[in-house]
Amino acid sequence: GGMTPKNLRLLEGADSLFMRAFGDKGRLSPLLKRVPVYAVLAEDIGQRGAHLVAFRMLLTMQEEQEEVLRAPDAKEAQASLPPLAEFNAIKHSLSWRGSYPRKLVISPNEIITKDPSGNITNRWSKDEFTAAAAIEEENEDAARFVIKLLSGGLLCGMGSTDLTFSALDKEQRSVILKTLESLAVA
C-alpha cells in the first residue's frame, strides 16, 4: 500500500524505466504504447476496493432477497408475519465507521437493520438473538442499549457480536428491550 506515491519519480515520463519496461513486450509493444497508464495516488485504495466488493455483495444479496419475496409463497408467508415493531435508532459501530441512523425492525422470526432509504443492511434470525440490555451511562439523556447475537450477521464478521444502539430516549429504549424480550420468549 502506498508504493506508487513513494516511487512516482521512477514512473513519470515516457522515457522512465517503468514505461520502457511496460512497452518493451515484443510483438505487443505497439499495442501497449497506446494504453494509457495512470498512477493511483490514493493511499487507501485497498480499503476502497474491499468496500466496493462488500457493497456489490450486499446489492446482490438484496436483489436475491427481493426475488424470494416476489415469489407467491413468500408473499403469503411475509403477510402472515408482520414486524412486531420498527424503531428509528442510531447504530454505534467501530471507531472508523462511527455512528449512523438505522431502522431497527423486530419481527417474529428475525431482527433487521435498514438504512434511512429502507435498504436492508443486515439481518439475524431470532435463533441468533441471545439477549438485550440497557447500557447505563452518566449522561441522563443517553439511551444506549446492546443486542447480543451468536453471529455477526452478513457483513459484521464471524463469531458472537454485540450491537450497540441509541434509542431516541429512555422510554423508547424500554419499549425496544421489551419487544426484544418477547422475541426471545417466542
Side-chain angles (χ1 to χ4, degrees):
M3 289 181 60
T4 303
K6 294 173 189 147
N7 296 299
L8 198 55
R9 61 180 171 68
L10 300 173
L11 307 173
E12 290 180 315
D15 197 36
S16 71
L17 181 62
F18 173 80
M19 289 306 293
R20 284 194 313 248
F22 179 79
D24 187 19
K25 301 294 185 242
R27 296 183 316 178
L28 296 178
S29 293
L31 175 68
L32 290 174
K33 289 186 192 246
R34 295 191 324 230
V35 173
V37 176
Y38 298 96
V40 178
L41 302 178
E43 298 262 343
D44 64 345
I45 198 69
Q47 289 171 327
R48 290 182 189 189
H51 180 264
L52 179 63
V53 169
F55 182 72
R56 287 180 177 165
M57 285 174 56
L58 177 63
L59 289 177
T60 300
M61 288 181 268
Q62 284 178 334
E63 289 168 3
E64 290 170 358
Q65 181 66 26
E66 288 172 9
E67 287 177 24
V68 168
L69 293 176
R70 278 188 233 121
D73 293 342
K75 286 182 183 174
E76 291 172 17
Q78 188 182 19
S80 66
L81 294 173
L84 294 174
E86 293 188 19
F87 303 96
N88 290 320
I90 301 296
K91 169 80 172 70
H92 303 285
S93 189
L94 304 171
S95 59
W96 61 271
R97 288 258 345 248
S99 298
Y100 40 88
R102 285 289 181 256
K103 184 170 288 278
L104 181 61
V105 181
I106 304 166
S107 77
N109 292 329
E110 63 186 349
I111 299 170
I112 300 171
T113 55
K114 294 181 178 181
D115 65 18
S117 61
N119 295 315
I120 294 174
T121 57
N122 227 318
R123 65 183 344 135
W124 300 268
S125 77
K126 79 172 197 171
D127 299 331
E128 295 173 276
F129 171 73
T130 59
I135 299 173
E136 297 303 332
E137 299 178 88
E138 289 182 24
N139 179 355
E140 290 182 22
D141 296 329
R144 286 188 184 219
F145 62 97
V146 64
I147 299 175
K148 296 181 178 284
L149 301 161
L150 293 176
S151 68
L154 190 60
L155 297 175
C156 289
M158 306 295 242
S160 65
T161 195
D162 292 351
L163 304 177
T164 305
F165 291 88
S166 286
L168 298 176
D169 54 36
K170 288 186 176 184
E171 185 177 322
Q172 184 197 43
R173 177 179 70 184
S174 178
V175 172
I176 292 171
L177 293 175
K178 285 179 183 172
T179 306
L180 287 166
E181 268 179 43
S182 71
L183 182 65
V185 173

